[in-house]
């Protein structure tokens, strides 16, 4: 990370804040920290500078729910003109008890992906990611299944039942939480993180060859604000239990370290989802191999749905075989 420029979303609390701190300690030349309001993110940047004694933090206003905010943030980055080496798309949330939609009609826990897609595609189009850039987006264990109180939607079955087998329309319904999607906050979260894992796989196929993207679950870190909006079963039942089981919970620093670790992964594992070992929420990360995560039709459907909802596409990079031909 030495001398590189990092951009971290959602740094006003929790893991984004912890990651920004770690990046400064790793020697980053600049850490762009983002938050929904400039006033709050300026406060975070000042607090980070005071804690680390490093003058590397640059605040940037970025509300991922608002396309106009993403556009302004991009315009500001274009003005600064310095390519980002490490793009850490950390912002996310376990959604509210009561269903909430953004002005663009996107369910609250799905909205960060739409904003992150707009930001990433905007940076790619403006040539503001360095040739060997690493992109990490926050995933979570519920995307692979087997987490009590959280379940993801069986997309092929849902598409077959309500969308004549059209998976892109089915993913769009999940992103918008309707039609035919029953609102269960924890399940909306599991679906949001599953769509992220699929989006990562599809983006990896489109990135220029030196770049790589991964979904990384930071693992359980209950001392953040992640469940501030969640219902009582999670807050007062599951989390206290998880805290009691040794090895199931980590400090925000340990969790954030997983993101930083992933910034060193190679292009060979681009597009993969890294999370705790089966049955765990902590410890080392490993590539997740559940078949639903690797279903290419679902990955491409997730990409197309995100393109449709966000209004932004990114053309595939040339296939590797074609590039080899050109070099000879
Ligand atoms: N903590 C865990 O146990 C755990 C486990 C697995 C995965 N994760 C993932 O890790 C990431 C960070 O979570 P955390 O635990 O650090 O939670 P947190 O303390 O609530 O921090 C989340 C950050 O994201 C920002 N954010 C959320 N939605 C946003 C939006 N639409 N636009 C702009 N900023 C937005 C928040 O800003 P505001 O303060 O303005 O809302 C906050 O800065 C999330 O993606 C979460 O899903 C966490």
């Amino acid at each position: 990370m030495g001398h590189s420029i990092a951009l971290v979303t959602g740094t006003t609390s929790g893991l984004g804040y912890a990651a920004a701190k770690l990046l400064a300690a790793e020697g980053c030349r600049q850490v762009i920290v983002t938050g929904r309001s400039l006033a709050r993110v300026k406060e975070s940047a000042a607090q980070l500078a005071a804690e680390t004694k490093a003058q590397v933090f640059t605040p940037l206003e970025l509300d991922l729910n608002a396309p106009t905010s993403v556009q302004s943030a991009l315009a500001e980055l274009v003005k600064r003109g310095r390519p980002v080496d490490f793009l850490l798309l950390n912002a996310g949330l376990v959604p509210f008890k009561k269903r909430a939609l953004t002005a663009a009609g996107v369910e609250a826990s799905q909205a960060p992906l739409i904003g992150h897609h707009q930001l990433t595609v905007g940076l790619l189009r403006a040539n503001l990611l360095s040739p060997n850039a690493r992109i990490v987006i926050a995933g979570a264990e519920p995307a692979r299944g087997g987490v009590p109180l959280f379940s993801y939607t069986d997309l092929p079955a849902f598409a077959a039942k309500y969308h004549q087998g059209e998976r892109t329309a089915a993913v769009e319904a999940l992103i918008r939480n309707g039609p035919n999607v029953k609102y269960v906050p924890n399940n909306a979260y599991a679906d949001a993180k599953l769509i992220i894992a699929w989006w990562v796989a599809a983006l990896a196929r489109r990135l220029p060859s030196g770049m790589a993207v991964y979904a990384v679950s930071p693992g359980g870190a209950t001392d953040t604000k992640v469940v501030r909006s969640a219902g009582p079963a999670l807050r007062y039942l599951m989390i206290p239990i998880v805290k009691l089981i040794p090895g199931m919970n980590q400090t925000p620093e340990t969790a954030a370290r997983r993101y930083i670790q992933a910034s060193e992964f190679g292009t060979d594992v681009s597009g993969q989802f890294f999370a705790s070992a089966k049955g765990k929420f902590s410890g080392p990360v490993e590539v997740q191999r559940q078949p639903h995560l690797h279903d290419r039709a679902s990955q491409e459907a997730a990409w197309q749905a995100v393109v449709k909802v966000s209004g932004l596409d990114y053309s595939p990079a040339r296939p590797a075989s074609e590039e080899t031909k050109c070099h000879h």
Side-chain angles (χ1 to χ4, degrees), residues 10-15 36 40 62-65 90-93 112 138-140 189 193 217-221 224-226 228 259:
T11 51
T12 50
S13 72
L15 307 182
R36 283 186 231 244
R40 272 191 62 207
L62 175 65
D63 179 349
L64 294 159
N65 292 357
N90 155 78
L93 70 154
Y189 181 75
K193 295 302 189 185
S217 171
T224 71
K225 294 185 182 160
V226 74
R228 66 187 116 162
Y259 294 145

Side-chain angles (χ1 to χ4, degrees), residues 63-137:
D63 179 349
L64 294 159
N65 292 357
T68 51
S69 172
V70 182
Q71 282 311 319
S72 310
L74 279 166
E76 178 61 33
L77 292 167
V78 168
K79 205 166 85 192
R80 295 179 193 171
R82 291 201 235 146
V84 171
D85 303 291
F86 181 42
L87 180 61
L88 175 47
L89 308 172
N90 155 78
L93 70 154
V94 176
F96 318 93
K97 244 165 77 182
K98 201 165 168 291
R99 178 176 178 269
L101 299 182
T102 67
V106 176
E107 188 277 322
S109 61
Q110 297 279 355
L113 174 62
I114 303 303
H116 282 144
H117 175 89
Q118 289 161 338
L119 177 69
T120 307
V121 171
L123 289 172
L124 282 163
R125 285 183 176 179
N127 239 341
L128 279 174
L129 287 180
S130 64
N132 296 315
R134 292 293 179 266
I135 304 167
V136 167
I137 185 163

Side-chain angles (χ1 to χ4, degrees), residues 161-180:
K161 190 164 176 194
Y162 295 112
H163 296 279
Q164 296 85 42
E166 285 288 328
R167 291 195 198 178
T168 301
V171 175
E172 186 179 350
L174 295 176
I175 291 173
R176 296 190 182 283
N177 198 254
N180 299 312

Side-chain angles (χ1 to χ4, degrees), residues 74-321:
L74 279 166
E76 178 61 33
L77 292 167
V78 168
K79 205 166 85 192
R80 295 179 193 171
R82 291 201 235 146
V84 171
D85 303 291
F86 181 42
L87 180 61
L88 175 47
L89 308 172
N90 155 78
L93 70 154
V94 176
F96 318 93
K97 244 165 77 182
K98 201 165 168 291
R99 178 176 178 269
L101 299 182
T102 67
V106 176
E107 188 277 322
S109 61
Q110 297 279 355
L113 174 62
I114 303 303
H116 282 144
H117 175 89
Q118 289 161 338
L119 177 69
T120 307
V121 171
L123 289 172
L124 282 163
R125 285 183 176 179
N127 239 341
L128 279 174
L129 287 180
S130 64
N132 296 315
R134 292 293 179 266
I135 304 167
V136 167
I137 185 163
E141 278 74 10
R144 66 164 180 225
V147 176
L149 298 178
F150 291 83
S151 34
Y152 65 81
T153 301
D154 176 343
L155 187 72
F158 175 67
K161 190 164 176 194
Y162 295 112
H163 296 279
Q164 296 85 42
E166 285 288 328
R167 291 195 198 178
T168 301
V171 175
E172 186 179 350
L174 295 176
I175 291 173
R176 296 190 182 283
N177 198 254
N180 299 312
V181 185
K182 182 166 178 271
Y183 183 65
V184 179
N186 296 356
N187 298 352
Y189 181 75
D191 283 337
K193 295 302 189 185
L194 175 54
I195 294 169
I196 282 174
W198 285 332
W199 176 84
V200 159
L203 174 58
R205 288 194 274 274
R206 290 161 170 82
L207 282 180
S209 58
M211 298 184 195
V213 59
Y214 323 101
V216 176
S217 171
T222 54
D223 288 337
T224 71
K225 294 185 182 160
V226 74
V227 295
R228 66 187 116 162
S229 355
L234 188 62
R235 294 174 81 165
Y236 305 117
L237 191 68
M238 184 166 168
I239 287 184
I241 294 172
V242 161
K243 277 189 166 178
L244 288 178
I245 309 171
M248 294 300 262
N249 190 25
Q250 317 160 99
T251 63
E253 287 68 28
T254 305
R257 206 170 284 286
R258 286 179 171 203
Y259 294 145
I260 317 295
Q261 190 195 351
S263 73
E264 305 288 329
F265 292 169
T267 49
D268 53 328
V269 288
S270 184
Q272 303 284 348
F273 168 36
F274 292 84
S276 318
K278 195 164 173 255
K280 294 203 170 294
F281 298 113
S282 67
V285 290
E286 46 185 64
V287 170
Q288 301 299 296
R289 304 201 181 279
Q290 285 78 2
H292 70 285
L293 295 168
H294 295 270
D295 183 327
R296 192 164 172 140
S298 296
Q299 293 168 349
E300 287 301 313
W303 177 267
Q304 294 306 338
V306 170
V307 163
K308 185 161 176 235
V309 174
S310 67
L312 269 187
D313 200 353
Y314 178 67
S315 313
R318 265 181 314 181
S321 55

